[in-house]
Every structure is written in C-alpha cells, then in structure tokens.
Amino acid sequence: MWLTNSSVGRKIVMSVTGLFLVLFVTFHALMNLVALFGFKYYEAICEFLGANWYALVGTLVLAAGFVIHICYAFWLTLQNRSARGDDRYAVSARPKGVSWASQNMLVLGLIVVCFMVLHLIQFWANMQLPEIAGKTAMKGVQALATAFGPQWWYITLPVYLLGFAALWFHISHGFWSAFQTLGTAGDKWIPRWKCAAMWWATIVFLLFAVEAVYFTLHFNGIINC
Amino acid sequence: MDNAISFKLKIWRQASPQEKGRFETYELRDIPTDTSFLEALDILNEQLIEKGEEPVAFDHDCREGICGMCSLYINGHPHGPATGATTCQLYVRRFRDGETITVEPWRSAAFPVIKDLMVNRNALDQIQQAGGYVSFNTGGAQDANAIPISKVDADEAMDSASCIGCGACVAACKNGSAMLFVAAKVSQFALLPQGKPEAKRRVKAMLAKMDELGFGNCTNTGACAAECPKNIKLSNISRLNREFVSAKCRD
Amino acid sequence: MEEKIKTTAVIDSKIPEGPVAEKWTNYKAHQKLVNPANKRRLDIIVVGTGLAGASAAATLGEMGFNVLNFCIQDSPRRAHSIAAQGGINAAKNYQNDGDSVYRLFYDTVKGGDYRAREANVYRLAEVSNNISDQCVAQGVPFAREYGGLLANRSVGGAQVSRTFYAKGQTGQQLLLGAYSSLNRQIKSGKVKSFNRYEMQDVVMIDGRARGSIAKNLVTCKLERFAAHAVVIATGGYGNTYFLSTNAMGCNVSAAMACYRKGAYFANPAYVQIHPTCIPRHGDNQSKLTLMSESLRNDGRIWVPKDIEDAKKLQAGQIKGSDIPEEKRDYYLERRYPAFGNLVPRDVASRAAKERCDKGFGVNNTGQAVFLDFSEAINRLGIDVIRQRYGNLFDMYEEITDVNPGEKASTIAGVDYYNPMMIYPAIHYTMGGIWVDYELQTSVKGLFAIGECNFSDHGANRLGASALMQGLADGYFVLPYTIQNYLSDQITVPRFSTDRPEFEEAEERCQKEMDQLMAIGGKRSVDSIHKELGNVMWDYVGMGRTKQSLETALEKIKDIRKEFETNLFVPGSQDGMNIELDKAFRLRDFITMGELIAYDALNREESCGGHFREEHQTEEGEAKRDDENFFYVACWQYNGDDTKAPSLIKEPLHYEAIKVQTRNYKN
C-alpha cells in the first residue's frame, strides 16, 4: 500500500489528516466564539454535540485523525532520524528562508498534545464521556467555569496559551506544507500558501486566545457581560 | 598583510569508514583573500605533507562549480556560507580574520564517510539508474526540430536539469531526504514531451529507490532549496509529489 | 637532438576509398558487423565517462556488448566534459544562414590550420546532425525560441550560427544526457560501472590489448579486468601545465600507459590556449577558470591605446571603466575586421599575448586584457545581457569580486560597465593518441576516442567542436568501427585474469607504486608539478623557440630527477592514498611534458595552437610550412621514459579542400 510504503505516500497521510485537523480546530474556535455572544448559545451547541450518534461518529473520526497524525509523526521522525545517520553535525545553522517551526514540528506537536490532555480532562472527561457511560454529565458552562474559575485558571490559562502558541507555529508550517505535499504548489503558489498559512494560524490563535482570556476574566468576576 | 587573513580550521579527520573520527584544529596564517577555500585546504595539505603527516582527504575536481564533486559542511552550511555557489567557488574573503571555521563531511546514513571529509554518494547514482532517463537507443531519434517545445517549459526544464548531484540537499535536510535531487530529474522530464511516455514508471521507480536506500521523508522545511548551490527550486518537489500521486492514483 | 629522432615507416590510416563525402557511407556499407548473439560474448573495457566514454559505453551496451566502464570520480556524471560551457555545433542550417555539412567541415579544417585529417573531419561534420537529434530525444533542454524551435548562436571561427546551447552549461546537459543513457544500461546489466577506479596499465596478450589493471582508489588495491577490446576516453593532457582550465583530476596516465604499450602519440605540440580565462592571481592558485567563448558574441576585447593608461591600470590608479571609447584599442576588431572578436581561439590568444608583451596589459601583473559589455548592454539592455550571460557574470563576480553587469561610470553621456579581465590559459589538447579512421590506435584492439585521440581538430580546435567530437566518436563512430575489429574476435573466449600476462602487469604496477612510496624525499607532488607547469608555460607555452624548447627539455630532465629522488608520499597503501595517486599521475605528466617539447621542437613551423616565434609573418601571424610539415607527427615509445621517442610521419592528403593561408581579416 503506497500510503504506508512510500515516503510521499506517508506524507500524503500526514497532509490529509493535518488539513482535517486544521479544519477541526477552526470550527472549534468558531464554536467557542459563540460563548462570547451569550453562554446560552454555547450551551445549545454543547447540547447538540452530546452523545448523539453523529457526535459520536464525529468524535471517532476526529480521534482517528489525531491518532493517525500522531502515529505517523513518530514513525516519520524515527525514519528521518535514522536517515540522518549516527553522527550529528557539530555546527549547524538554519539557512535563510527556512522557518524555525518547519524544523521543530514534532516538538510543537507534542506541546499541543500536552495541552490537549489537560483540555480533554477538563472538558471531554466531564461532558461527553460520562454521557456515554450513562452517568450525569457536566454542562458546558459549568465545565468552563471550573477550568477558568478561581481554582484552576492560573494553571489553565498559561497552559492553554502555550498550547495555542505551539499550534500557531505548527499550523504556520503544516498548512502550506500540506498543499506542497499534495502537489498543489508551484513557484507562484508556494508563497501564496505560505501567506495563507500565516493568516489562518494567526486567526485561529487569536480566536482561541481571546476566548480563553475572556473566559478567565468572566469566571473570575472581573468582567461580566 | 592587507588582503590576507589568518584563521583556524577545525576539520573532521577519519582514517577509514570503520574507524572513529574526531576533529583536529589547524591554523593557517596570512592567506590572501582571493584564495579559494579549497586552495586554502591545498595550502594546509602542503603544510601537513611537509610535516610528514597525511593530508586531509576531500572531494573536488572541476573547481568551477559544475562537476558536483566537492562537498564539505562549512560552519553549518553545505558548501559554506555563500549562496548559489559550491565549496570550490567559495573564497577566503567570505571569512573573518581570526575566525575558527568548522569543516565537516556530509552527514547522512546514505552517504557513509570514506575518509576524512570524503563521503560515498553512490546512492544518488543508483536513484538515477532506477529511472532517470528516456528509454531509447542511439540512432533512433527524429529531427531535433520535429517537436516544438515552448520556451517557458524548456527554460524551466533547464533550471531543473541544472542539478549537479552534489548531495548538498541531503546534507542540508534534517531528515536526510533526497527529494530535491529526485524532484529535479523528475521535473526535467515531466516538463518535456520526451519524458512523457514513461513519466509514471520513472517517478515511481526513482522514489522507490530513494526510499529503499534509506533517505528520509521530506517535511518541506525548504533547507534543501535554500542551500542548493544551483538554486534548484522547491516547487520541483511539489511537482514530484503531483506526478507521484497522479501515477499512483492511475495504477 | 636531431639524430635522436629517427623517422621510420609510413603508417596506414585506413581511410576508405572514394570522394570525401562518400567515405563514411561507403565504410558503413562495407564494414563487418557482429551479430546480436555474438555481441553477448564480447566484452569491452571503456575507460572514462566523459562525453566520449559515456556515450560509447551506453551505445555499446545498447547494442548488446558487455561493457566495463571506469571513472576516477565518484560518479560517471562528474567527468570534465561537464564543464564545457558554450555549446555544440551541428550543420543543421536551422537559421537559414547558408550552413551545410561541407561548410562545417571546411570551417573545422580551416580552423585547425590545415593539419587535421580530411576524412575524419568530414565524417564529424556529417554525424553532427545526428548528435543534436540524439540529444534532443534524450531530453536535453537546449535553448529554444518562443516558437518552440531550437535556438542557435555563433562561436569563434564561424560566420554562421550553428551552435546549440543550454544556457552556459551545454557540456553539463550533454553529459547528463549521455549519463542517463549510461544509467539505463547499468540498470539493464549490460554496463558494469566502476567508480573511483584508475587505469594503471593495458594488458597485452599476443600483441593485442586484452584487458587492464586498474587501481581501486578507495582501497588502493590493484584489480584485473579482461576484455576483447579496450577503449580509452580519458581526455586531454592540459594539466601537464599544472595550471589549466582542466579539472584537478584530469590526467594523462591512461594515455601514457597506451603510449608505453606501443600506441603512437600524435601531434602533442598542438595545445589550445583559450583566450577568455580569468587571469592568474597568485602562487596558491590551483586552476584557471574559463569564461565561455560565447561571451565574445557580445563582449568586445580591448586594451588601452595609450601605454600611459596601461601603466596606470597596472598600478591600480584607474579602472577600465575610466577609459573612454576613443582611447580603447579593440585590437581584434582592428586586426581582423571580418571576424572581429570572433576569430579562432589561437588567433585571439596570441593577439592578447602580443598586446601584453608590448606592455598594454591591464592588471597588476600586466597579463590581462579587458572583455567589455558596455556597448552590448547599452544596445540591448542589461536584462537581455543578463539572460544570456547571467550565470557567467555571477561566476566572474564570485571569483574576482567585480560585477561585469554593474554600471561603473558615465563619460560624455556614454555609460561604461565594469569590464571583465581575461587572459589566455591552457584549455584543450588537440594532440593525443594516434588513431586510424576506425579510431583504433597503433595497438590492435586498443581504441581511443574523444579528446584523448588526435584526429579531428588539427592544430587548433574551434569552439563548440569538442562536444561534437566526443559525442560523434562515442555515439556514432566507434560503435560501428569497433565491430570491424571485433567481428573476427567472436571465437576468442573470455580470458582468465589468472593468465601470466595479467599477473606480470599487476606485479609491475605494484612495483611502481612501491617505488614511489619508497623514495622518501622531501618534496610534495604538487610542488614538483608546479615546477613542471612553470617550465611548460614559460618555455613550451604560447610562443615557442628552438632555444626555449631545448631549455625546457633540459629542465624537465632535472624535474624528473627531482621527482625520482626527492619525492615524498605520506601515508601507506593500506587504504585511500591521494598523494600516491597524484604521484603516479605526475610521473606521466613529466613524460608528457617532454613529448610536447620534442614535438614542438621538431615542428619547425607555426600552425594553430603551435606557435614558433621563428616562423611568423611580418604582421605576427602564424607561418605554416606545408612543404615540410604537412604531416601528422606520430611519436613512438622507445622502451624507456628517459629515451627520446621516435618520429613516424603520417602524410596528410587533401582532396576536397585547397590548402591555403588562414585568413580571418577579410
């Protein structure tokens, strides 16, 4: 199967799952945004994405996307490290035009995963998981209040912001790289995709960051609207 | 001296593939700045021979930037700090007086060290042998002007064909991938009508060979194109991907 | 000296009967062929992977022979043909400017100062068209016009545009084309490729070349290879001069091994000095860099009219761009109005030397002239010029820190750009192993192709002809003619490399290596090689005299003695030993240097690249002596490197062309 046997095939898997995840985080950020206009709307979305069959299927597909993306990342990295050989360069310099993110995608991805673990514990483990298990689940706003409230915000907010920053770097390279891997780039399109990647990563980052800061301020009673 | 500098060379010495290598530091004094870097190494070697020591082994041949024989990872860059130039086109004026210049061989599992700074790049030949050609026998050609080819395509094919096979892309890539090298040849033939009939076979065979020989996976860092002494463009890799995916999808 | 040179029997060059235009066709129609089943039983050694070697190995493999192909580099793609910049000629007449096979033939013979073999040159011109077809079919990305058809330009010595080119990297693209065909054969198993191997000797069995001893340069061990025929395609001997435009690894050892086995060495004195190289800058210099001849299409060569300006330039007080148009002496345009800056290389080189000898040189050493693009840039714009020569401008800037595309001054409303500085340098060697019409040397079963044979360029080679000759020999000539030899070898079984002939040859090679290691003197290989190079350039260079050549022979004798008694080769024979490899090559360069001097001394005339100062016209042009020297000088080895070789003459016969004085003036 060429999607596992060939280097380009493996990269295709990375790019397709990557683009899928980019779409997911984009939707996620947009759905969170709803909370800024009123928590009842947010609650409605949470209700909608409970333990319904379509939400469960979605969750499974999403999980598969994550798992494949992460497994392939480790697989590729191991292969790449062994291709590099046992001796490392004593001095190596990053050439002009090569982004820092592009050379540190695994580390950035790991930071995002760490953030995700906390995020899943705080939300998914309290909301969808108990519902599947037939127990009482938390409401969305309740979960938000716990995570960003006085008890936890000083852990939640920094970890989230760090995660978002890592995500920014990760998407800033991953987004255009996916299009390059899919063969849709050329001399004209490489700069265009790179530009699009920057915008996309920045918008997603800003949405998440504003939302996290807003929740923190709101659930600590500093602002109330 | 006005137009001369002194510097230290920290050079990787390794007697043979089996033995362990190490860095040795040498000092060169009053080297005129219009000396090429390889000529500076020649001077060092003359000094070593004078002392009865073995000279530093490094690959070089044409010394005008076209044969692709010279290599060397100088101060963290394949072919040194200059862009769009090979090591043999690097001049001492690029360095500062008193600087320590670190010189290492290409590092890649597919390029084992032969001696000192010399590596075995036979893997690149093997990739070309897998499909980097148009299959036809001498004498069977039609008139050279029988197929018109747009100037744009011909020029672009020429840019891709400029690859000198030095392996700097592999040396620069943190993944040890030879994608730019493979992409350059695949692109040249993909852009020309002569290459079309066996385009699918070619791209699959060359990539399979690259994978088989233990080169890494491309992660689009772009270091290869940034360090390429012949400015082979990154878009070639995208074209390679496109050719490969379309070949696979039509299997 | 004279009596040492004995003239023996006249030799047979096997030129087919018939008018010159029909010889090759007749030959092919009547030659003997080898049938496909028998081809499988025949092995051929091809030494070298340049244009000639790679194309021959690939084509012989395609035909079904088993080929053993050797190169000293780490890959066949790196042979020095790759560095050829300008282009390749073909008599296609695509530009409708009156070109034809005959005209290419005529230009080449005339360019070679009427010292080439007519029949060979005609064949070369004839197959030139097949070569461009072949290369296009391989996917060589030649330059094209917007209409999609091939573009052409002109080079020195021609009044038509017949040169096909791929940017300034034509040699690279043609070599990569041949390399791709070679790769296809390597993959199919018909060609076995041996990289980093250097031929040390030819193995003779019953008077025929039947194999070789080659050194694996990585392990420093000798290995034996048997075959039915041996083809050498190992390039020229320019590095005898130490500084040349050749690659560092180019050497004459394989050719010398053939010479020692009885192959005649023809016309060694014909050495081409290329007019457009970057001048020498210091003692540490390892090689000279060529700037493509194509630059002379738009570049104009000049020195100052006033000696005072030249002195100021030499002192570094002014720059070339400070000198206005009216004070410039475009000496080529002045002396040769019809061809101007596009005169053949030998003429351009000598004219530069003449100006510099008179004190008009323009750099600190006084050994340089200007090549100026101001007029072309003002006429066509910098973009057009950069498109044509951008990579050459960049290369020049990288080396010299001067950008020829940069405006430097405006005098009286005229813009002047930085001129390039150029000076002649050793580039190509027209002489080489003597071969007959079939490209077979005077040793049976031993063939020589490409630059390493002597056959097609006479006393001077025209631009864009080297690529043509290398590929003609490899693709279209040798694969035919070698069959004429092999057709009666089909019953000869494969030889075992355990035979005493192989044993003996290997022992001899090993002994020579041991000897070099054992000298234990003080001098490095390069230091002696530089000394040889200086002698060659000073006494056997652009202008030669009887006296200078005799001095050279004396000095080379001393150099040989120094080499044999005071050489130091560090390291051991346990693994790669680069100094030992170089020592082996230098030994042969010394013998080669003597051979060049012997031939130059014998040839009491000036022709093409060989200029004897005693023989020139009042205007300083070369003066040939057709009555006494209308022959190919073939030198035969006399059993010992220190003994003078014997001269054998191959008289030239011209049927199609009237021999006359070369005229590029009108």
Side-chain angles (χ1 to χ4, degrees), chain C residues 580-598:
Chain C
L580 179 60
D581 304 339
K582 276 159 64 181
F584 168 76
R585 294 170 196 166
L586 177 56
R587 181 198 64 175
D588 296 325
F589 281 131
I590 293 173
T591 305
M592 188 65 226
E594 275 182 322
L595 204 49
I596 300 172
Y598 278 126

Side-chain angles (χ1 to χ4, degrees), chain A residues 6-8 10-12 76 79-80 82-84 87 89-91 93 95 98 102-103 173 176-177 180-181 183 185 187, chain B residues 73 76-77 104-105 107 109 171 173-175 207 211 214 216-221 233-235 238 241-242 244-245:
Chain A
S6 75
S7 58
V8 174
R10 289 189 288 268
K11 289 297 303 170
I12 296 282
L76 289 167
Q79 282 186 330
N80 291 347
S82 77
R84 203 78 204 77
D87 287 307
Y89 289 118
V91 179
V98 173
S102 71
Q103 298 193 314
H173 173 69
W176 85 264
S177 172
Q180 164 87 353
T181 300
D187 287 332
Chain B
Y73 202 79
H77 293 281
E104 303 173 68
R107 300 259 188 229
C173 178
K174 75 179 188 63
N175 308 323
L207 256 178
D211 293 343
N217 307 283
C218 175
T219 61
N220 302 324
T221 66
K233 291 181 291 189
L234 204 59
S235 53
S238 192
N241 293 333
R242 187 155 69 236
F244 182 76
V245 173

Side-chain angles (χ1 to χ4, degrees), chain C residues 237-373:
Chain C
Y237 47 87
N239 271 350
T240 310
Y241 289 77
F242 188 72
L243 283 183
S244 78
T245 63
N246 284 6
M248 303 303 286
C250 291
N251 69 78
V252 72
S253 291
M256 283 290 106
C258 300
Y259 168 66
R260 292 196 187 96
K261 283 286 179 292
Y264 306 144
F265 207 103
N267 296 337
Y270 296 157
V271 173
Q272 180 165 77
I273 305 198
H274 197 293
T276 53
C277 299
I278 298 177
R280 230 180 124 154
H281 59 70
D283 291 337
N284 299 320
Q285 199 157 356
S286 57
K287 78 155 274 164
L288 296 167
T289 304
L290 175 80
M291 300 307 296
S292 169
E293 177 158 317
S294 63
L295 290 170
R296 288 200 273 147
N297 271 300
D298 289 304
R300 299 174 74 197
I301 295 174
W302 64 277
V303 293
K305 268 185 190 154
D306 297 341
I307 192 89
E308 291 311 314
D309 281 341
K311 281 184 183 150
K312 280 187 208 159
L313 284 166
Q314 287 158 16
Q317 290 158 353
I318 57 169
K319 291 198 292 179
S321 52
D322 296 333
I323 301 174
E325 183 71 12
E326 64 275 9
K327 294 180 109 179
R328 297 176 170 196
D329 173 19
Y330 296 97
Y331 57 86
L332 287 176
E333 296 170 27
R334 170 168 58 79
R335 284 177 66 177
Y336 309 100
F339 281 69
N341 292 297
L342 285 174
V343 289
R345 292 173 178 176
D346 56 333
V347 177
S349 291
R350 266 200 306 281
K353 181 178 188 290
E354 188 270 340
R355 285 290 84 191
C356 292
D357 287 352
K358 291 256 165 70
F360 290 93
V362 298
N363 68 349
N364 54 353
T365 61
Q367 302 279 298
V369 299
F370 285 131
L371 175 63
D372 199 298
F373 291 86

